[in-house]
């Protein structure tokens, strides 16, 4: 009996050991089974030399240890003899690189045909990025015999925004609670903090905002700053700076002042002292991220001051320490009955030129709010004198949260590659945020609203990790294609098997368009359930504010559907450069993917396909559902080369996704049909339930919405 139970126990523990929880993300370093390749890599990585020693080089050594052990079953050996070493890591301040974070990797064969890899950087941090790059090549089973790589980041600030509250609740978080355990900090350092830093550093992320933009002043109290310092100390060897959100009313709430007026000298002094205190603990503190006068947050407008007054107040305080202020442009507390689309532009454009040089303006990719597809935000290009940062949302608040497989890199590409025409052709959004178009070459950046929580696999859906990965890689190299990023991620996360990589890549690259089609095709937007933002609710709600009501956005009536933002409507189009205005203001030349963003279109309008709008809508919604079906089938083909645990997780999630894609299609179309009054196409799949049923549905519990 005893013996039997020991055997059973052993079987379980072996299974447990080899189960793939997803915890290791893309730093999985799966053992290389191709003997020839492994032997070659082993020979090339036997000894490693470092020209310098620092906390960063220690971090690199640890990573080599982990990686070589797992990939090759080889201990990393560090040698102090450069000539003898196989991998030579050199810090050379005079290296021919345009950035202190950049690196070069060269492989050279010596006279005896022995391969030597040299990684060079101006500083330790560049070596860290170069080493991670090299390890990525090994993980992807790349040929390393003739490497001639030089790489420098496109952007200087590559930063995650955590919408994490101090009580570990994550606003719009779908992967558990916050990984930052403020209760046990500063004394308890969770291994997870180190693994988080490793993961970020491996893709070039160099900053993290630890706290929610809906901020608590408590984060700025001394006790909490000690906790932040503990995290900063863990992250520093990985090149990651910490930032906090600043609640504008903090001088009142924790400073005992009567006002937070940015022009008040006591307020100014309070922030200066706060900055002194922070920097005495964390000398490389990044700065503050601020959401002000938006969705009920306090801000300078409470004192009849401008956003620039507010931003400059904080910028002044952190300037002596080279800190920065990231001021968000996501504002819509405007009570005048103006199209919400226009508000950020209207408030911020006049302030161009009035921000201190250490202020960056952070703008969401589109003008409304992280909808499945938005045209780019017209503030990109509108403020030449201000460095404008991109804010993407990795947590899929409006993109199926953590149950839908949606790879966001195609969306990042789409937005970044769009031509704004603001300075003639080739004025892409990318060229604005990377500082090339308006010469903001020293500070520029990109933020990703993190999709990270304490779920074992960090992001909830096994594929959601890919959005974190893609964000980091694109912030490093803004020109990477979704396809390239997907390929890299799959090989490191799932398998290097060519066929399976191709299958999964195909799934990922089609997932974004599929989701748009089954949720909000042809430029529909903001028709989701209110509050939790999950599932369809085009019929609207009874909330007092019109801009919280889906019917405000789709404006369906007996004539047609869509928001008229042309000159005969809200004229939001005037915020774009003339060539785009021209193209988008004519419903015949407007890209159909944006049609209902800009036009109220007749149900009988003939689309490029030859179908009328109603039929096109039916077609698109169903096409989205069909694409999910295809994805589900394709996933089965990947089974042979994927670990059973993650295969099954995704398999189950795809079933939910398919049901919900059908839910979106049927609920939206039944509702819109009450206006179009046209039949469904012949042989169209019959809705499972009636409109009344969908309308009476008590929405399933969805996380991320509430304290
Ligand atoms: O999309 C909305 C979210 C809010 C969020 C806000 C913002 C942090 O629903 O939860 O608040 O955007 O970006 O500030």
């Amino acid at each position: 009996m005893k013996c039997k139970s020991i055997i059973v126990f052993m079987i379980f523990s072996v299974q447990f050991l080899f189960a793939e929880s997803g915890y290791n993300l893309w730093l999985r370093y799966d053992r290389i089974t191709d003997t020839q390749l492994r032997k070659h890599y082993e020979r090339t990585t036997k000894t490693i030399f470092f020209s310098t020693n620092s906390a960063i080089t220690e971090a690199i050594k640890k990573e080599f240890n982990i990686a070589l052990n797992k990939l090759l079953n080889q201990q990393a050996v560090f040698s102090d003899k450069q000539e003898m070493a196989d991998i030579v890591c050199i810090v050379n301040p005079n290296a021919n690189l345009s950035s202190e974070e950049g690196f070069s990797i060269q492989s050279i064969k010596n006279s005896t045909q022995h391969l030597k890899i040299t990684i060079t950087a101006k500083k330790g941090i560049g070596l860290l990025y170069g080493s991670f790059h090299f390890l990525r090549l090994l993980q992807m089973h790349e040929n390393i015999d003739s490497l001639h790589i030089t790489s420098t980041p496109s952007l200087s600030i590559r930063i995650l925004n955590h919408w994490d509250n101090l009580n570990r609740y994550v606003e719009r978080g779908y992967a558990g609670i916050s990984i930052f355990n403020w209760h046990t900090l500063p004394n308890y350092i969770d291994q997870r903090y180190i693994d988080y830093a490793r993961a970020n550093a491996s893709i070039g992320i160099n900053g993290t905002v630890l706290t929610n933009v809906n901020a608590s002043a408590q984060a700025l109290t001394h006790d909490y700053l000690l906790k932040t310092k503990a995290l900063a100390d863990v992250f520093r060897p990985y090149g990651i700076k910490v930032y906090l959100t600043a609640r504008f009313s903090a001088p009142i709430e924790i400073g005992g002042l009567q006002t937070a007026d940015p022009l008040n000298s006591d307020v100014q002094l309070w922030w200066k002292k706060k900055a002194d205190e922070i920097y005495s603990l964390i000398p490389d503190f990044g700065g503050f991220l601020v959401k002000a006068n938006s969705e009920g947050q306090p801000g300078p407008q409470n004192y009849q001051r401008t956003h620039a007054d507010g931003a400059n107040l904080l910028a002044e305080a952190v300037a002596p320490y080279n800190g920065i202020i990231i001021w968000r442009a996501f504002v819509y507390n405007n009570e005048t009955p103006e199209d919400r689309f226009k508000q950020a532009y209207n408030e911020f454009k006049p302030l161009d030129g009035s921000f201190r040089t250490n202020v960056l303006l952070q703008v969401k990719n589109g003008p409304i709010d992280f909808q499945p597809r938005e045209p780019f935000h017209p503030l990109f290009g509108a403020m030449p004198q201000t460095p404008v940062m991109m804010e993407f949302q990795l947590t899929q608040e409006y993109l199926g949260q953590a149950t839908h497989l949606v790879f966001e890199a195609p969306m990042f590409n789409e937005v970044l590659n769009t031509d704004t025409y603001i300075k003639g052709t080739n004025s892409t959004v990318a060229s604005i945020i990377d500082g090339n178009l308006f010469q903001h070459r020293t500070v520029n950046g990109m933020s990703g609203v993190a999709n990270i929580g304490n779920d074992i696999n960090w992001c909830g859906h096994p594929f959601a990790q890919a959005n974190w990965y893609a964000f980091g890689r694109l912030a490093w190299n803004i020109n990477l294609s979704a396809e390239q990023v997907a390929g890299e991620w799959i090989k490191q996360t799932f398998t290097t098997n060519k066929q399976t990589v191709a299958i999964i890549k195909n799934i990922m690259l089609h997932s974004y368009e599929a989701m748009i089609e089954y949720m909000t095709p042809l430029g529909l937007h903001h028709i989701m359930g209110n509050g939790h933002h999950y599932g369809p609710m085009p019929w609207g709600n009874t909330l007092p504010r019109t801009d919280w009501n889906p019917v405000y956005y789709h404006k369906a009536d007996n004539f047609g559907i869509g928001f008229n933002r042309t000159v005969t409507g809200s004229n939001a189009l005037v915020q774009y450069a003339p060539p785009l205005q021209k193209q988008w203001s004519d419903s015949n030349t407007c890209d159909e993917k944006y049609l209902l963003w800009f036009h109220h279109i007749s149900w009988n309008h003939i689309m490029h396909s030859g179908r009328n709008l109603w039929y096109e809508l039916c077609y698109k919604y169903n096409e989205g559902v069909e694409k999910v079906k295809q994805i589900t089938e394709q996933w089965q083909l990947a089974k042979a080369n994927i670990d059973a645990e993650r295969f099954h997780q995704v398999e189950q999630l795809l079933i939910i996704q398919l049901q919900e894609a059908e839910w979106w299609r049927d609920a939206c179309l039944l509702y819109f049909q009450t206006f179009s009054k046209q039949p469904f196409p012949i042989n169209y799949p019959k809705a499972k339930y009636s409109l009344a049923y969908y309308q009476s549905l008590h929405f399933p519990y969805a996380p991320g919405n509430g304290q």
Side-chain angles (χ1 to χ4, degrees), residues 343-363:
Q343 292 177 13
Y345 181 101
N346 288 347
E347 275 186 39
F348 281 93
K349 186 173 165 51
L351 299 176
D352 191 27
S354 46
F355 291 98
R356 275 196 60 119
T357 50
N358 58 335
V359 176
L360 292 103
L361 193 66
Q362 181 167 296
V363 178

Side-chain angles (χ1 to χ4, degrees), residues 436-541:
N436 278 320
L437 199 69
F438 297 125
Q439 317 291 319
H440 296 292
R441 295 221 173 88
T442 39
V443 266
N444 45 51
M446 189 150 117
S447 287
V449 178
N451 57 355
I452 298 163
N454 77 339
D455 273 8
I456 185 80
N457 71 2
W458 302 82
C459 301
H461 197 300
F463 274 80
Q465 298 176 355
N467 294 332
W468 176 9
Y469 183 86
F471 166 76
R473 294 289 289 133
L474 271 151
W476 180 275
N477 180 353
I478 209 160
N479 298 313
L480 281 181
S481 70
E483 187 180 355
Q484 195 172 338
V485 174
E488 286 181 5
W489 180 79
I490 298 162
K491 287 181 203 157
Q492 296 170 89
T493 309
F494 279 117
T495 177
T496 49
N497 175 280
K498 276 207 176 68
Q499 242 184 326
T500 313
V501 170
I503 293 168
I504 303 180
K505 200 192 274 186
N506 194 46
I507 290 177
M508 290 171 77
L509 294 177
H510 286 94
S511 61
Y512 173 56
E513 199 65 38
M515 178 271 302
I516 297 169
E517 288 179 341
Y518 64 71
M519 281 190 190
T520 51
L522 301 175
L524 285 172
H525 52 283
H526 216 288
I527 56 172
M528 70 289 160
N530 61 270
H532 48 64
H533 297 168
Y534 199 79
M537 203 198 247
W539 41 87
N541 54 46

Side-chain angles (χ1 to χ4, degrees), residues 163 171-172 212-214 291 295 328 330 364 369 397-398 533:
W163 287 356
E171 182 159 348
R172 309 309 176 187
N212 191 354
V213 287
N214 290 330
K291 169 175 177 176
E295 299 187 319
R328 292 177 89 228
F330 176 70
K364 287 188 181 179
D369 192 0
E397 178 178 358
Y398 305 94
H533 297 168

Side-chain angles (χ1 to χ4, degrees), residues 5 14 272 285 289 307 348 415 436 501 579 592 635 637 703:
S5 56
V14 167
K272 272 196 183 359
F285 179 70
L289 168 68
H307 284 289
F348 281 93
V415 175
N436 278 320
V501 170
E592 288 186 349
W635 182 245
L637 304 177

